[in-house]
Amino acid sequence: MIPNPDERIGSNTDADTDGRAESESGTESSAEADQVESVFTVLNGVSVSIEDNKYVTLVLNHSDNSNSRSVSGNEIKRRLVHASGTVLPLLYVINILSWSVFEIIMIIGAATAALLETVRLFIGLEWRIYDELTRSYEQTNIAGYALYAFSSTTVIIVFTPVIAVPAMMMLTLGDPISGLLGTTRAAGESKRPRTLVVMFTVCFVIGLVFLFPIAGTTGVISAGVAAIGATVADGIKPVVGGYVIDDNFSIPLIAATGSSIILFVGGHQPIISLY
């Protein structure tokens, strides 16, 4: 029996069509696979760039996501803890605490902070409060609350109340107010000029309240010098030998030293409470 030529032609045509369909399907599958691979490659690149680029990380941290809000909340908590340090000096100012009792409380507080930090840094102390109230560089360094206790206790022991109290309050009030206006900064990064102006203004007013009544014009100058010192200490966190010089430590010491020098030159004594 002789095959029908038309049937052979139709059969060949169907085979060709099926072959082209399979080829096109394979091409589309290959193209889709290439697209998926490209997407993962791009995502991997973005991930690396986020890890390697601190600026990109900073921008992402300010986005409207839950993590961004939690970081902001922790920063506000830090500022409130800062401001709570004003309670003790105010209790002295309104005559609820005597100076000697104030000194004893601060010494006990500093000793407790030293013990807690020793355990945290060398043994390990997993308290949630440390995760919420300490910054990244404080994970391996002495935390800000302890530095505040150490520096404030030092100025209270060394200087007279009229110098020590405003120096403490420049940290407990000036720093959190300026901090809320600015953004959290890395070590070595300075704050914005408007934030520094606010810091200086708050510290200058605090200094005037205590120093002007006892020294007049010299007290105004003394308050200005203390405010400048506190502002500089607040504006930049220098890194010395890999260790961050935290403003919680430097502000009270610099402010008290600056104001005491001006008062001493102006003939207003005593400025030192050590005997």
Side-chain angles (χ1 to χ4, degrees):
M1 181 176 181
I2 300 174
N4 188 343
D6 294 336
E7 291 180 358
R8 289 199 300 270
I9 293 173
S11 177
N12 292 337
T13 302
D14 292 342
D16 291 342
T17 301
D18 294 340
R20 284 196 300 271
E22 291 178 359
S23 176
E24 290 175 357
S25 176
T27 302
E28 291 177 357
S29 299
S30 177
E32 291 177 357
D34 291 341
Q35 290 177 355
V36 171
E37 183 178 355
S38 298
V39 169
F40 280 108
T41 301
V42 171
L43 290 176
N44 288 335
V46 171
S47 177
V48 171
S49 68
I50 290 174
E51 292 296 328
D52 293 341
N53 192 321
K54 292 182 180 179
Y55 176 76
V56 174
T57 302
L58 180 63
V59 172
L60 291 177
N61 284 341
H62 283 79
S63 62
D64 293 328
N65 54 40
S66 59
N67 184 56
S68 174
R69 287 193 293 271
S70 67
V71 171
S72 178
N74 287 346
E75 189 61 27
I76 291 175
K77 290 176 184 178
R78 282 182 57 87
R79 301 303 173 183
L80 291 175
V81 171
H82 248 297
S84 68
T86 310
V87 173
L88 284 177
L90 278 181
L91 290 178
Y92 165 74
V93 171
I94 61 179
N95 295 320
I96 293 180
L97 290 180
S98 66
W99 187 249
S100 59
V101 172
F102 186 19
E103 285 181 317
I104 292 172
I105 292 175
M106 289 301 299
I107 291 172
I108 293 174
T112 302
L115 177 61
L116 288 175
E117 285 300 285
T118 299
V119 173
R120 182 178 74 88
L121 294 174
F122 297 102
I123 299 176
L125 189 60
E126 299 297 330
W127 284 355
R128 182 178 177 183
I129 191 171
Y130 283 120
D131 295 330
E132 294 185 353
L133 299 182
T134 57
R135 295 196 176 109
S136 57
Y137 64 84
E138 292 175 327
Q139 299 299 318
T140 55
N141 290 319
I142 300 175
Y145 79 93
L147 295 174
Y148 156 76
F150 301 156
S151 62
S152 296
T153 301
T154 300
V155 299
I156 286 173
I157 293 174
V158 174
F159 297 100
T160 57
V162 74
I163 294 174
V165 171
M168 283 184 62
M169 295 178 71
M170 287 179 188
L171 170 63
T172 60
L173 291 179
D175 186 49
I177 291 175
S178 69
L180 289 175
L181 292 177
T183 56
T184 304
R185 67 202 191 282
E189 180 185 351
S190 61
K191 287 186 176 181
R192 294 180 178 180
R194 69 164 189 171
T195 305
L196 297 178
V197 169
V198 172
M199 176 66 178
F200 172 80
T201 302
V202 173
C203 292
F204 184 58
V205 171
I206 292 172
L208 281 179
V209 170
F210 289 90
L211 297 171
F212 177 72
I214 62 107
T217 302
T218 303
V220 174
I221 299 173
S222 177
V225 170
I228 291 173
T231 302
V232 172
D234 178 63
I236 299 177
K237 290 184 177 181
V239 180
V240 179
Y243 185 82
V244 179
I245 307 300
D246 197 285
D247 53 12
N248 292 289
F249 183 76
S250 58
I251 287 176
L253 295 174
I254 293 176
T257 301
S259 62
S260 64
I261 290 174
I262 298 300
L263 291 176
F264 178 78
V265 172
H268 295 274
Q269 298 184 23
I271 58 172
I272 303 296
S273 63
L274 291 174
Y275 298 103

